[in-house]
Amino acid sequence: MTSTDEKWLEKKISRRSMLKITGAGAAGVAVLASGMGGIAKAFGFDILDDDQTAENKVNFYGKHQSGITTATTSHVYFASLNVLVESQSELQDLFKMWTPLAVRLMNGEQLEEVSQGVFTPPKDTGESSGLNASNLTVTFGVGPSLFDNKKLGLSGIKPTELNDLPHFPQDQLDEKISGGDICIQACADDPQVAFHAVRNLVRAASGKVTLKWTQTGFTSVPKVKDKKETPRNLFAFKDGTVNPDTKSTTDMKEVVWVQPDESKSWMTNGTYLVVRKIQMHLETWDRTSLQGQEATFGRHRDSGAPIGKKNEFDEVDLDSKDATGNPHIPVDSHVALARTVKDQIMRRGFSYSSGLVDETGAYDAGLLFISFQKNPQQFINIQNAMGRVDKLNEYITHRGSGVFACFPGIQKGSYIGEKFFNTY
Amino acid sequence: MKKSPFLLSSILLSAALVGCAQQEASPQPEVAAETIDLQTEVDAYKEFAIEQMNEFVLETEKFTEAVKSGDIEEAKALYPIARMYFERSEPIAESFGDLDPRIDARLADVKEAGQGEEEWSGYHKIEYGLWVENTTEGYEEIADQLLTDTKELRARVETVEVTPDLMMTGAVDLLNEVSTSKITGEEEIFSHTDLYDFQANVEGAEKIFRILEPEITAKDEALTDSLETKFDALYTLLDNYRVGENGFVSYEELTAEDTKQLSSAVNQLGEPLSQMGIIME
């Protein structure tokens, strides 16, 4: 953090976000008091608090990072960054600098409440002013390439399971929308709030990171009598029916959260994020008969029930046969193939629409697939099972790919990735 | 060439900011009441601008002579070099809304202003003759007019009221020029000598930084360090594209990856550069 950054952070911090420090727990922490309220500092970075009075707020601090098992929001702005920093300590400073900014953003606050000077650009780009926190979550992860950067000296703490995803059948990956050293996933119920978060984090890190690729996404959750239903993808099929229960600690421990001794120690309570930009060929899909569409997924379009069943959550029975003796659910359907794999993942996908594909004039639209799992292998196994035979392949093309190790949650007084840096 | 008037007074700017500020009980940003004395710096910058303008007139004289004598190769060689003096001092050169387009308008600017091609004059018109038509014939009058306009610009520079705000806004603006037209190859669409303008714009911004450097260092040493590093990085990158003593490769030789790298280095310099205003606060 440059000294200018520190100065403006010190200048104005709202009273409500001031950390109240009591007793001996505050070792190594000094309070800078001023007329406007104070801000705690520890080891050269600022400590802010979650503001429980903020509207539509998700907490930043916790055992796990937000934006993983917290409620799905209607928008995402996903950014993959490459680092320009040239040493481990600079990288560490970057995450320290980001920590209080992320807290402020998730509190729905501007990075600076009132512009401090008229001769310099405002610290906050300002487009979220007047909007509430909108359930913003900011999730940070690090990609395999970060560990391969020799200047950073991180190779010793690279988890063995963190590697670029293998090539899958039907992949048409574009290097320009794949990979990255760091990811920031900003989810919010307002697209402008999500965009603002990434924009300001990247801007504050000018000269330290550079954007590699970004993607917006959206999803809409239908509600029946206030009860949330499974959202639909752009093919109109329900997406995420078989997700594990985010409320179940057991499920989450089994599927999502890295447990002690399962990986490098800094990953405990962290998870792996897999992102795939999957173009869906809407034009060809829309020319497919309803029967053909349902046979592709293995489910009924309207109800989401397995073919031959009535309700979305009815058990998938691959042995169930129709009058002519053929299985209700075709063996090459998406559902049937998914059933052949034991592995589970936690999907938190969004649809995307990004104009047109230059060469064809077709929609560049589809699925910004995001899944969380304690080991990328879970995703790899599932994707391999879909492989060549998945009927859905005819209608989709995987264009972008990334895998990122998401740090465990951040405790107040700590900073993003502290355990990561303290492994040495 | 710029599309909007360059000089936006700081008073107007402050008024607009205050008008937009949130209606809370919090204090409004202070309009700079106590201004520091930057007269020495302002004088130094004006002197620099006049030096550049003197050179600009001399080089334009050589250029227009080559055009009038029909020496296409000589004219082509002089074109990008002469323009660098203009590009270095653009914050000042652009102050004159009538002269700037006469000297530096691109065909696109003329059309945008709703004018016909017949009203197009100046450097870029001759650029079209040299690189597209490969001739100087029929451009003699344009050359005469260009030299007259250039001399008038030089004379009028004496009257420009240089302010610290003009300098700091100007430095950022020079980089913005690079970001919006040089990096895209739109400035020199016929000669593809955009990298000369690029280099000159950056040097123009650096000059302003150098003049203000002691003030900046006194206020925030880290900002000076950051600017040093970022200027260095950008020059180093530009050096990759040098040919000969004063030359640069054609813009057409740059790959998308090259322009992306250059653009990124410009943006990384632009951020700290936009912080120079702290010396006024």
Side-chain angles (χ1 to χ4, degrees), chain A residues 2-4 7 12 36 84 113-123 129-130 203 206-207 209-212, chain B residues 10 13-14 17 22 26-29 32 165 219-220 222 230 260 264 267-268 271 274-275 277-278 280-281:
Chain A
T2 69
S3 63
T4 34
K7 264 179 223 146
K12 294 264 188 309
M36 282 298 293
L84 301 170
E113 285 174 10
V114 176
S115 298
Q116 294 299 308
V118 296
F119 295 103
T120 45
K123 288 297 171 198
S129 177
R203 182 175 179 230
S206 168
V209 295
T210 166
L211 280 169
K212 181 164 194 222
Chain B
S10 62
L13 191 63
S14 327
L17 276 171
Q22 284 178 323
S26 43
Q28 299 293 355
D165 190 35
K219 201 105 179 189
D220 183 355
K230 301 300 188 305
K260 197 176 163 191
S264 169
N267 288 338
Q268 282 156 39
E271 274 295 322
S274 71
Q275 296 300 323
I278 56 161
M280 306 275 284
E281 281 152 12

Side-chain angles (χ1 to χ4, degrees), chain A residues 134-167:
Chain A
S134 307
N135 294 314
L136 174 71
T137 57
V138 190
T139 317
F140 295 86
V142 287
S145 54
L146 188 77
F147 298 85
D148 301 338
N149 183 334
K150 294 214 165 52
K151 289 176 192 159
L152 303 178
L154 294 168
S155 56
I157 58 168
K158 183 180 181 176
T160 49
E161 62 275 21
L162 180 63
N163 297 296
D164 284 331
L165 295 172
H167 177 83

Side-chain angles (χ1 to χ4, degrees), chain A residues 57-68:
Chain A
K57 145 128 192 103
V58 179
N59 282 336
F60 173 80
Y61 296 111
K63 188 174 179 187
H64 309 292
Q65 283 198 74
S66 63
I68 299 167

Side-chain angles (χ1 to χ4, degrees), chain A residues 275-293:
Chain A
V275 57
R276 305 280 287 181
K277 185 174 173 180
I278 305 170
Q279 187 194 348
M280 291 162 61
H281 304 291
L282 304 186
E283 291 83 355
T284 53
W285 180 258
D286 291 344
R287 295 196 287 265
T288 306
S289 70
L290 178 60
Q291 191 180 305
Q293 293 184 355

Side-chain angles (χ1 to χ4, degrees), chain B residues 58-69:
Chain B
L58 290 175
E59 293 296 316
T60 303
E61 222 158 8
K62 286 192 217 162
F63 172 67
T64 52
E65 269 165 29
V67 170
K68 287 171 70 180
S69 64

Side-chain angles (χ1 to χ4, degrees), chain A residues 19 89 95 114 159-160 188 212 221 245 250 283 310 314 323 328:
Chain A
L19 173 67
S89 68
F95 283 110
V114 176
T160 49
K212 181 164 194 222
V221 181
D245 181 7
T250 325
E283 291 83 355
K310 283 260 160 11
D314 285 347
H328 273 122

